[in-house]
Amino acid sequence: MLTKWLTFSTLSLLLAGCSGNAATTWQQHQVSSSGLYQATLTCATAPTVAIFQECALQLSSEQALPPDLSLTVDGGMPAHGHGLPTAPQAVPTGKVGEYRIDGLKYSMVGEWVLGFWLHSAAGQDKIVFRFTF
Amino acid sequence: MRTTAYLLGIALVLGMSACNDGSVWTAQERATLQSLNLATLPAAHDPSNRFADNPQAAALGKQLFFDPRLSRNGQVACATCHRPEHAFSDGKPVAEALAKGTRNTPSLLGVAHNDWFFWDGRKDSLWSQALAPLENPAEHGFTRVEIVRLLLEDTAYASQYHALLTDLPTPETVATLPTSASPSGTLEQLQAWKSMPPAAREQVDQVFAATGKFIAAYVSSLALAPNRLDTAINNSSALTPSEIAGARLFMGKAQCILCHSGAMLTNQTFQNIGTGMLGKDSGRATVLDSVRNDRFNCQGKYSDAAPETCTELQFLTRNRHSVAGAFKVPSLRNVAQTAPYFHDGRMATLDAVIDYYVQAAQQANKDHDLPRIELSDAEKRDLIAFLKVL
């Protein structure tokens, strides 16, 4: 637990630009399907196989984020037809638009999609990252 | 002059190639091979078993592992199927003890590094796995109450249990236990279990769980030995040309490494390779609820781990459809010694396994996760030569 907290604290510092180790982090940027949200996925390292990834998602929008906004995570390998090996969760950190991604693993190298469904009373949206490692 | 310079240049290029530690591997191949090296495997660690690294517990676990008295007919021990001379597997398609089982017996070497246990991963620790065969009617066919009675009434075992555990049932309490009782046994055994006071059931489960932990402490000590692959990175002469060609196929065209990655040669996941049987054996999909509700899982009261550290269980997928027909990706270390293959032992030889992958991958409307694989007969031979290195 302490390790997870320390890792996440370090990641938060990196996100805030307070560290010189940004070269070790891995980032992806994407816009939601509706175009309403911009998202940055930041992980402590580039994707690796079979170990839990330390990642966070930062959402921003020209308008205020819906107060009831919640996220679910999904993903998989389109070429192989299988999903993520685990059921990761997006956990609000308390900072506006910031979510810690817990329980994310990849089972093999190749092309992956990692998707975030955005739920709120205002409607649904999605953000899909595509990457290969 | 120009010829001399030209020859010097060629010699320099060749020399630089040879300086690549005399290896036949490219930098990328070396990096990949290094990722498979046993030396990169971190020490196994199971916080749910406080006895995992206890030599006294391991010595006791070894006695339990080889003791056939822990069975209905007094003839079945863990070692009946996990035979040391077969890398702790049994060489049979499916396990045979009190009755014929449905799953192939896996090797136990290095098994402490696994995330999940059984072909469908219905157990999340080695100690919890060790408990299941004891009460399986087709395997040991015993009940936990019979096991506790036997262990605490046997002078040699009792003294070792008292040295490792506190709050053991008194001899008087043991004498009051039913002859045979278990929450997962026959109707009579279940009724006997329910007739026991809750405190007695709790004590029996404590001793039963500890028994699994002792067995796991022993099994955890069954380490993998380095194979020829582990030495091949710095000594390419350790492999024949056919084995080297096979290694390249393993890492490339045959795509084996997609699942058989890392030092254990498994990515520790569950994949559908088309061997599940709809309505009969859906593999991983059928155990997602049972592993989550198992009283002996990592988050249960008999685990020594803090529940929030049980990350594999915490983030276990709930999507049955996504893992229908999926079985655990087995380690390929010692694979030549652990025939037959697949979860039900349906493939007798490595040749049959490779043929299956090549043929299954060609199917139209495939209902599995296999990528398309095409191998010539010569390539199959090379790949099998490499698998025998492992």
Side-chain angles (χ1 to χ4, degrees):
Chain A
M1 191 63 191
L2 180 62
T3 305
K4 182 180 279 187
W5 186 85
L6 285 172
T7 306
F8 186 71
S9 298
T10 305
L11 189 58
S12 298
L13 287 172
L14 293 173
L15 280 167
C18 296
S19 167
N21 292 334
T24 64
T25 62
W26 179 85
Q27 276 197 339
Q28 295 274 298
H29 304 280
Q30 189 54 276
V31 178
S32 70
S33 295
S34 69
L36 290 177
Y37 301 97
Q38 291 79 45
T40 299
L41 177 67
T42 304
C43 301
T45 63
T48 49
V49 170
I51 60 172
F52 286 111
Q53 309 292 294
E54 300 284 351
C55 299
L57 185 76
Q58 180 67 54
L59 291 181
S60 61
S61 175
E62 291 182 2
Q63 302 169 339
L65 296 174
D68 63 337
L69 184 66
S70 66
L71 274 64
T72 52
V73 190
D74 199 359
M77 297 189 83
H80 294 241
H82 64 69
L84 292 165
T86 54
Q89 298 169 4
V91 182
T93 66
K95 294 180 182 176
V96 176
E98 187 181 78
Y99 296 81
R100 190 182 72 233
I101 313 304
D102 286 345
L104 174 63
K105 261 189 187 183
Y106 304 108
S107 51
M108 60 187 70
V109 297
E111 184 191 8
W112 284 87
V113 294
L114 182 63
F116 296 89
W117 290 95
L118 282 59
H119 314 274
S120 79
Q124 285 209 358
D125 204 348
K126 65 180 177 183
I127 300 164
V128 180
F129 296 93
R130 287 181 179 271
F131 50 90
T132 300
F133 72 96
Chain B
M1 186 65 187
R2 290 182 62 184
T3 304
T4 305
Y6 180 69
L7 288 174
L8 278 171
I10 290 177
L12 187 61
V13 169
L14 290 173
M16 287 174 68
S17 301
C19 280
N20 192 9
D21 69 33
S23 169
V24 298
W25 310 115
T26 66
Q28 178 61 45
E29 287 168 345
R30 282 176 58 81
T32 304
L33 287 172
Q34 185 60 37
S35 74
L36 307 179
N37 197 300
L38 189 62
T40 66
L41 190 65
H45 179 56
D46 180 6
S48 74
N49 181 2
R50 66 187 186 279
F51 299 107
D53 301 315
N54 182 323
Q56 198 177 356
L60 172 54
K62 184 175 183 179
Q63 297 165 51
L64 295 165
F65 187 89
F66 288 96
D67 192 343
R69 290 181 298 161
L70 299 175
S71 65
R72 173 68 50 209
N73 67 356
Q75 296 177 28
V76 177
C78 305
T80 301
C81 294
H82 296 288
R83 295 164 57 188
E85 67 273 22
H86 278 274
F88 288 86
S89 60
D90 60 7
K92 299 175 181 176
V94 293
E96 294 178 31
L98 291 182
K100 202 168 186 176
T102 58
R103 298 278 165 83
N104 179 254
T105 303
S107 167
L108 296 184
L109 298 178
V111 74
H113 295 276
N114 288 1
D115 290 337
W116 299 100
F117 300 84
F118 289 122
W119 278 98
D120 51 20
R122 64 183 180 274
K123 291 288 188 174
D124 67 344
S125 73
L126 188 52
W127 67 267
S128 184
Q129 184 280 327
L131 299 175
L134 296 172
E135 293 195 309
N136 186 328
E139 299 184 50
H140 297 242
F142 235 15
T143 65
R144 63 193 66 182
V145 166
E146 287 167 295
I147 289 166
V148 169
R149 288 182 70 111
L150 186 154
L151 295 171
L152 297 184
E153 289 175 347
D154 178 279
T155 310
Y157 277 133
S159 64
Q160 295 178 81
Y161 271 68
H162 279 281
L164 289 162
L165 300 171
T166 57
D167 299 327
L168 285 169
T170 63
E172 294 74 25
T173 303
V174 173
T176 65
L177 294 174
T179 307
S180 174
S182 168
S184 56
T186 63
L187 181 59
E188 284 182 351
Q189 290 164 343
L190 176 59
Q191 288 171 333
W193 177 256
K194 292 204 167 190
S195 73
M196 292 166 56
R201 296 203 296 255
E202 173 71 24
Q203 279 192 310
V204 166
D205 273 347
Q206 287 281 7
V207 178
F208 188 50
T211 301
K213 292 176 183 179
F214 300 151
I215 295 171
Y218 166 63
V219 175
S220 298
S221 72
L222 303 175
L224 287 159
N227 58 27
R228 284 200 291 136
L229 173 66
D230 297 318
T231 61
I233 298 175
N234 296 319
N235 179 18
S236 51
S237 63
L239 300 183
T240 67
S242 177
E243 291 165 346
I244 291 169
R248 290 203 167 97
L249 291 165
F250 185 92
M251 295 185 283
K253 186 178 178 182
Q255 305 186 63
C256 311
I257 203 167
L258 287 179
C259 290
H260 296 286
S261 58
M264 285 294 290
L265 301 176
T266 168
N267 61 3
Q268 305 267 8
T269 65
F270 299 83
Q271 300 291 335
N272 177 0
I273 60 167
T275 54
M277 288 173 279
L278 192 63
K280 188 176 179 186
D281 193 348
S282 298
R284 185 63 166 162
T286 58
V287 305
L288 295 181
D289 289 336
S290 66
V291 68
R292 194 175 280 112
N293 298 321
D294 192 328
R295 67 194 283 103
F296 296 115
N297 72 19
C298 181
Q299 294 180 325
K301 66 193 296 187
Y302 303 103
S303 166
D304 300 315
E308 66 271 19
T309 65
C310 301
T311 46
E312 293 292 342
L313 192 61
Q314 186 180 352
F315 298 109
L316 174 66
T317 182
R318 292 174 182 269
N319 185 346
R320 290 185 189 180
H321 175 73
S322 70
V323 288
F327 292 90
K328 187 164 67 177
V329 176
S331 170
L332 293 187
R333 287 190 173 268
N334 298 303
V335 68
Q337 285 82 51
T338 57
Y341 305 103
F342 291 176
H343 74 278
D344 52 5
R346 68 178 66 181
M347 298 297 175
T349 64
L350 289 172
D351 301 68
V353 169
I354 302 305
D355 283 341
Y356 170 80
Y357 278 124
V358 172
Q359 289 164 12
Q362 313 302 321
Q363 292 171 357
N365 303 318
K366 66 187 181 80
D367 184 25
H368 55 67
D369 303 337
L370 290 174
R372 190 173 182 82
I373 304 166
E374 291 182 10
L375 296 174
S376 68
D377 289 344
E379 287 172 328
K380 289 179 187 175
R381 285 193 294 274
D382 289 340
L383 183 57
I384 289 166
F386 174 68
L387 292 175
K388 291 177 178 175
V389 167
L390 304 176

